Amino acid sequence: MILMITAPVCPPHLLLRHSSLLRHESSIGNFHRKKNPRFRTVSCSSLLPQPSVRPDKASELKTLWKKFYKVASPYWFSEDKDQARLRLAAVFALTLATTGISVGFNFLGRDFYNSLANKDQEQFTKQLFYYLCAFAGGIPFFVLRDYTKETLSLRWRSWMTKYYLQRYLKDQTFYKIQSQSIIDNPDQRLVDDLSSFTGTALSFSLTLVNATIDLISFSNILFTIYPPLFLVLLLYSFGGTAISVFLGKGLVNLNFLQEKKEADFRYSLVRVRENAESIAFYGGEQNEMQLLLQRFRSAFDNLTELLIASRNLEFFTDGYRYLIQILPVAVVAPMYFSGKIEFGVINQSVSAFNHILGDFSLVVYQFQAISSFSAVIDRLGEFDDLLDNNIFRDPSDTVDEIELTYQSEMNSSLLDTNGSIKSQPNQKRLEIEELTLQTPTNGTTLVHNLSADVYDKDHLLIMGPSGSGKTSLLRAMAGLWRSGKGKITFYLDPEVDFTQEKSDTQENSGKRGDVLFLPQRPYMVLGSLRQQLLYPTWSATVEETTPGGSNIDGSPPLLIREDGNEKPTTDDLMRTLEKVCLGHIADRFGGLDSIHEWSSVLSLGEQQRLAFARLLLSQPKLALLDESTSALDEANEAFLYQQIQSAGITYISIGHRRTLTKFHNKILQISTADPKSNERNWRIEDVDAQDSLYGRLNQKEVPSGS
């Protein structure tokens, strides 16, 4: 008799319910399970440690809900909203269908076990046939529900990734985040947190809808069988939820810290890979080992605390799960022994009890996933506010800001009194008016009241001691630094209409396409040699981006330049490589379409020559060169400057070598600013005057050995 009572505790039709819950739990926090299968957690870290004691729970939940809505809502009102809502409706419809199928299985199970208890072979065979037919017809609904949910999650993630990337790369936001250290690990938020958010949000939504329908459907069944059993269920579920919240209250904070510490450890490993040569030259392996182990130990210690907290919670949750195997049977067994109910009703009550208890006990069963999801919401909410420019900090509290404008060439021409344009030999390219430049972090003044004009072919060399603000001045020209006051105006292509409203891509192409910046260490993109040469003027074409030329959500690729510039041919690229003395590297690496880690396989000197090839291909009106030939010998340096002079490109250079003066018309000399003085710390001189000075100095110089 004992065997007969315990056997139906897990009838076959409950396998669909249990496997469905397992699939939901696997999607909730699948990311973290890859690192630790004991936990169903997702990425979670924060710039500042979260307090372990949170006094105002209602206020916190309200704030969390606002963050969730702010992050989740844009997609459902986007250009893809029709498809999104249609698919979401399909998921809910399939969820309703699966609940109906579960109710049908509940009654089938009752009749199936009644026939077994009554030893009615004919009825048993009939009920078994019904069961098998119901499985064959019902399983596709469960599979289609999960498939539709996963495809919707993928579509949502695709849209959100594009949405966040556009904002992340807009107005140099990515640079501000990195330079000001506003938040930690933005790349992880874009990859792991977005993936976890979309999958977990849909899983929780589906679970809540399913729980609501289940509660309505099975409560009536359970209450009809035995009302006291329904009251036992309520007390059991609410008591279990309260105990779970109490035992697991520290998990949220531990999940925050764990993901941050592991991200810091991964970042340290990436730095070792990216700086392998420098570390090897220094012989710094032991130092790196200590730093890596220190960060790993921090993650390890936090994970140990997380394991202990999880263990304490699982002592309760595992007992909670196993006790429900016998609790409903124990409550209704006296009625069976007295003959008031049939044996199949025991199975029916167990099934209904499990369904309703699962609905009431979501917090108990998925407390770790819920705590991790709240961490993801906090991280994405913080990131979303930052991208909306709501939390950018300005430590210097500078009210003034450098004004950076782009105007047509025609605006720089002088007018006669009758309104006609004066003829002038050279066109103005850049105008700097009363510029005072400060550091964005602490407001230290680098340059006082600088005013200067740069005309076409009027090449300017910026010189001065290290730390005087030479590169910072180029950052201000590029719009990266705005701390200070004054105005910087570029006069560019007259065919570009700067008054029209443009998309972000068109604005970047129109306003900045005629100005190209070459840093001391060129940026090597991930891709082929051809892509290195075309960057950043020509981006990937539709065919090069994805099959079919569109993103997953059907929208066009992000990075397409449409300013009418004709893309260079293969012959153009090869000729340009020859001009910068790199004609051999195409054969050396297997052609223009070969893909390598270019920052590793090319020397710094080769990378700098490749950057000059980009400059010659893009043909900007103005080039800003920040010690762009520092890794080259003087012969190669002279050759490259002659090439860009022949191409008719006006350039502003930063450098320390006196040999650079022969390629420039004027020199802007910047000295270290006196923090106690407001006097200007710069002067502009013609190259001839500087040559005379250097000539007198050279007579006293003693050559140094190499």
Side-chain angles (χ1 to χ4, degrees):
M1 179 61 69
I2 294 177
L3 290 176
M4 290 182 63
I5 292 176
T6 57
V9 170
C10 292
H13 70 274
L14 282 181
L15 293 176
L16 283 175
R17 165 76 170 178
H18 292 163
S19 63
S20 176
L21 285 174
L22 287 175
R23 282 194 297 271
H24 286 199
E25 292 183 358
S26 68
S27 61
I28 298 172
N30 184 57
F31 162 70
H32 196 77
R33 183 188 283 110
K34 295 177 182 177
K35 294 181 290 185
N36 186 354
R38 285 177 57 88
F39 294 94
R40 291 184 299 274
T41 54
V42 286
S43 12
C44 44
S45 64
S46 178
L47 180 63
L48 298 174
Q50 302 300 309
S52 57
V53 179
R54 301 180 178 184
D56 192 350
K57 291 290 183 182
S59 175
E60 181 181 294
L61 289 175
K62 184 178 180 181
T63 302
L64 193 66
W65 166 251
K66 287 182 178 179
K67 289 182 179 180
F68 172 80
Y69 183 80
K70 186 173 185 292
V71 172
S73 60
Y75 175 61
W76 305 99
F77 298 94
S78 68
E79 68 281 355
D80 197 40
K81 63 182 179 182
D82 294 335
Q83 277 290 326
R85 295 173 182 179
L86 182 63
R87 289 169 184 259
L88 184 62
V91 172
F92 286 156
L94 288 169
T95 301
L96 184 62
T98 55
T99 302
I101 292 171
S102 297
V103 173
F105 277 134
N106 184 267
F107 286 96
L108 280 174
R110 181 195 64 184
D111 297 337
F112 177 81
Y113 284 104
N114 277 337
S115 64
L116 186 64
N118 296 332
K119 299 181 180 180
D120 187 342
Q121 185 173 359
E122 181 181 355
Q123 185 68 18
F124 174 79
T125 304
K126 183 187 296 184
Q127 292 299 324
L128 181 61
F129 175 75
Y130 290 160
Y131 235 139
L132 294 176
C133 290
F135 269 119
I139 287 176
F141 285 90
F142 288 88
V143 174
L144 287 175
R145 179 197 64 185
D146 293 334
Y147 173 76
T148 306
K149 177 181 72 68
E150 294 299 332
T151 55
L152 176 58
S153 174
L154 180 62
R155 194 179 186 94
W156 189 6
R157 181 190 175 187
S158 172
W159 187 91
M160 287 191 72
T161 300
K162 174 184 174 182
Y163 175 64
Y164 275 83
L165 281 176
Q166 285 178 325
R167 298 159 69 204
Y168 181 60
L169 297 175
K170 181 181 179 182
D171 297 331
Q172 292 105 25
T173 300
F174 64 96
Y175 174 79
K176 298 172 185 176
I177 291 174
Q178 178 65 26
S179 61
Q180 298 182 24
S181 301
I182 298 174
I183 60 170
D184 63 278
N185 304 307
D187 53 324
Q188 191 174 23
R189 300 177 195 234
L190 286 166
V191 179
D192 297 331
D193 288 350
L194 282 181
S195 176
S196 299
F197 179 83
T198 54
T200 309
L202 282 178
S203 294
F204 274 148
S205 300
L206 183 60
T207 301
L208 289 173
V209 171
N210 192 57
T212 303
I213 299 173
D214 266 1
L215 196 60
I216 297 172
S217 303
F218 287 96
S219 293
N220 184 54
I221 296 175
L222 194 63
F223 196 82
T224 302
I225 294 174
Y226 191 43
L229 182 59
F230 187 75
L231 296 177
V232 170
L233 182 148
L234 291 178
L235 292 174
Y236 190 71
S237 60
F238 287 135
T241 299
I243 296 174
S244 295
V245 171
F246 175 77
L247 293 176
K249 60 184 178 181
L251 284 175
V252 174
N253 186 47
L254 289 172
N255 281 323
F256 264 94
L257 294 176
Q258 183 61 29
E259 199 57 39
K260 174 174 171 40
K261 292 175 184 296
E262 292 196 7
D264 290 341
F265 177 58
R266 286 195 298 270
Y267 179 68
S268 299
L269 291 171
V270 171
R271 282 184 54 83
V272 171
R273 184 189 67 191
E274 291 180 345
N275 299 278
E277 183 175 308
S278 298
I279 295 171
F281 271 127
Y282 276 113
E285 293 84 355
Q286 287 301 320
N287 292 51
E288 294 300 321
M289 173 68 77
Q290 292 300 321
L291 290 172
L292 290 171
L293 289 179
Q294 181 181 355
R295 291 203 167 187
F296 175 76
R297 173 59 63 180
S298 178
F300 176 85
D301 291 342
N302 190 80
L303 182 58
T304 301
E305 293 184 38
L306 191 58
L307 284 169
I308 294 173
S310 178
R311 179 203 62 191
N312 296 338
L313 181 62
E314 286 182 1
F315 274 132
F316 171 74
T317 56
D318 287 352
Y320 184 89
R321 290 173 186 268
Y322 282 109
L323 186 57
I324 64 174
Q325 302 289 324
I326 61 172
L327 183 60
V329 177
V331 174
V332 300
M335 297 180 65
Y336 172 73
F337 292 137
S338 63
K340 294 181 181 179
I341 59 173
E342 296 179 313
F343 181 74
V345 177
I346 296 178
N347 171 75
Q348 188 179 23
S349 65
V350 171
S351 173
F353 189 91
N354 276 277
H355 271 276
I356 300 174
L357 188 63
D359 302 333
F360 275 127
S361 304
L362 288 177
V363 174
V364 178
Y365 292 154
Q366 300 189 26
F367 189 86
Q368 293 183 33
I370 292 172
S371 63
S372 299
F373 187 46
S374 66
V376 171
I377 294 173
D378 278 337
R379 285 171 57 81
L380 283 179
E382 181 185 42
F383 191 40
D384 193 76
D385 286 340
L386 186 148
L387 296 180
D388 285 340
N389 293 317
N390 289 337
I391 63 173
F392 275 131
R393 68 171 184 262
D394 185 4
S396 62
D397 293 325
T398 302
V399 177
D400 295 325
E401 188 176 79
I402 297 171
E403 182 182 354
L404 181 65
T405 60
Y406 297 84
Q407 296 186 16
S408 169
E409 291 177 352
M410 302 300 293
N411 294 339
S412 69
S413 301
L414 301 176
L415 298 179
D416 283 325
T417 54
N418 60 4
S420 62
I421 299 176
K422 287 183 179 180
S423 60
Q424 53 182 29
N426 291 326
Q427 175 67 48
K428 185 184 291 186
R429 292 297 175 199
L430 172 66
E431 183 178 10
I432 301 175
E433 302 175 71
E434 299 181 353
L435 175 67
T436 295
L437 178 61
Q438 299 174 333
T439 58
T441 52
N442 54 24
T444 300
T445 300
L446 300 175
V447 179
H448 286 290
N449 300 321
L450 172 63
S451 294
D453 295 332
V454 176
Y455 289 87
D456 196 30
K457 311 300 186 299
D458 191 13
H459 312 304
L460 176 67
L461 175 62
I462 303 175
M463 303 187 76
S466 297
S468 59
K470 303 184 298 298
T471 300
S472 300
L473 180 57
L474 290 196
R475 291 191 185 111
M477 294 180 188
L480 302 182
W481 282 16
R482 296 293 184 93
S483 300
K485 61 182 179 180
K487 184 177 181 180
I488 300 175
T489 305
F490 288 95
Y491 297 97
L492 304 176
D493 193 340
E495 297 179 1
V496 178
D497 184 2
F498 298 104
T499 62
Q500 289 185 354
E501 208 170 303
K502 298 180 177 68
S503 67
D504 295 335
T505 304
Q506 290 173 324
E507 182 179 4
N508 187 64
S509 299
K511 290 187 177 181
R512 302 191 62 191
D514 284 336
V515 180
L516 189 63
F517 179 77
L518 267 63
Q520 183 176 8
R521 178 174 288 276
Y523 173 61
M524 298 287 105
V525 300
L526 300 176
S528 65
L529 182 58
R530 184 188 305 273
Q531 289 172 302
Q532 304 300 323
L533 292 167
L534 297 178
Y535 182 86
T537 308
W538 295 273
S539 302
T541 62
V542 173
E543 292 77 10
E544 292 170 337
T545 307
T546 57
S550 63
N551 293 322
I552 298 174
D553 60 1
S555 60
L558 296 178
L559 300 176
I560 299 178
R561 180 169 179 173
E562 298 178 346
D563 59 356
N565 285 12
E566 185 177 351
K567 187 175 181 178
T569 63
T570 299
D571 291 338
D572 294 332
L573 299 180
M574 293 302 299
R575 281 194 295 268
T576 304
L577 285 175
E578 292 287 348
K579 288 182 179 180
V580 296
C581 304
L582 287 178
H584 60 284
I585 67 169
D587 294 332
R588 172 180 158 194
F589 292 106
L592 292 175
D593 296 314
S594 60
I595 297 177
H596 295 276
E597 186 67 36
W598 298 105
S599 59
S600 299
V601 299
L602 295 179
S603 68
L604 181 56
E606 289 173 324
Q607 293 178 43
Q608 289 185 342
R609 280 182 278 170
L610 191 62
F612 271 83
R614 292 174 179 170
L615 181 61
L616 293 173
L617 286 166
S618 60
Q619 292 288 316
K621 301 288 185 182
L622 181 64
L624 308 177
L625 314 178
D626 182 11
E627 298 190 55
S628 301
T629 58
S630 60
L632 300 176
D633 57 86
E634 294 181 1
N636 271 299
E637 178 182 74
F639 182 75
L640 291 179
Y641 269 99
Q642 290 168 3
Q643 291 293 324
I644 60 175
Q645 281 183 347
S646 300
I649 300 172
T650 303
Y651 51 84
I652 299 174
S653 303
I654 289 178
H656 294 281
R657 293 179 183 173
R658 294 173 182 172
T659 53
L660 289 173
T661 58
K662 68 181 72 172
F663 309 113
H664 297 80
N665 306 104
K666 292 183 179 181
I667 295 179
L668 170 60
Q669 187 75 37
I670 300 177
S671 59
T672 303
D674 184 356
K676 299 180 181 180
S677 173
N678 290 326
E679 294 183 2
R680 69 182 193 180
N681 59 322
W682 56 271
R683 68 178 186 273
I684 297 179
E685 298 179 352
D686 292 333
V687 169
D688 294 338
Q690 283 284 338
D691 284 342
S692 300
L693 174 62
Y694 291 151
R696 292 193 299 271
L697 291 174
N698 284 336
Q699 293 175 1
K700 301 179 181 180
E701 260 184 16
V702 178
S704 59
S706 58

